Amino acid sequence: LDSLKKEIRLKFKRLTDREISIFSALYQLDEEKGYADYKSIAEKLNLTESSIRDYVGRLIGKGIPVEKKKINNKTIHLKISESLKKVTSLSTILQLRDL
């Protein structure tokens, strides 16, 4: 478990403050509604949908377990991987990042 926490900490340490805020919003919306989408994250953070798309792409590129699912061939639903949620909560991730 310690090695897993270390791996999580290292992945999240590499994120910028903006990327962490995007991840946090995504995590919170996923908890509330069961998924997030670009529009709801954009509204929550007062950013454009296209910038959210870019940031989510960067999160995935940095190995953050975000799942994208296309609904009706147009809407994208974003979720935090269940395996990450089982291992740690958002508050724990944020605490590990600050270590």
Side-chain angles (χ1 to χ4, degrees):
L1 197 62
D2 281 345
S3 65
L4 192 59
K5 279 190 172 171
K6 186 177 180 187
E7 182 187 332
I8 290 168
R9 191 178 97 235
L10 291 174
K11 276 185 182 177
F12 282 92
K13 268 222 178 289
R14 288 197 302 256
L15 301 184
T16 65
D17 289 344
R18 176 67 83 195
E19 289 165 345
I20 273 293
S21 69
I22 305 284
F23 176 82
S24 297
L26 199 165
Y27 199 112
Q28 290 164 355
L29 287 163
D30 186 11
E31 292 286 292
E32 289 166 21
K33 301 192 311 187
Y35 71 93
D37 55 28
Y38 297 126
K39 185 177 184 178
S40 56
I41 298 170
E43 287 171 356
K44 189 173 179 96
L45 298 175
N46 205 18
L47 295 166
T48 65
E49 283 184 55
S50 65
S51 63
I52 298 300
R53 245 189 311 280
D54 291 344
Y55 281 117
V56 169
R58 286 186 211 162
L59 289 173
I60 293 168
K62 289 182 176 184
I64 305 302
V66 174
E67 299 167 357
K68 287 167 73 171
K69 185 176 179 187
K70 208 171 213 181
I71 307 296
N72 296 332
N73 226 8
K74 65 176 201 173
T75 309
I76 302 283
H77 283 189
L78 304 165
K79 292 183 72 55
I80 303 298
S81 157
E82 286 301 320
S83 55
L84 178 66
K85 282 199 220 169
K86 281 181 186 156
V87 174
T88 185
S89 66
L90 178 58
S91 60
T92 306
I93 289 170
L94 298 175
Q95 287 170 354
L96 283 172
R97 184 173 182 259
D98 291 335
L99 291 178

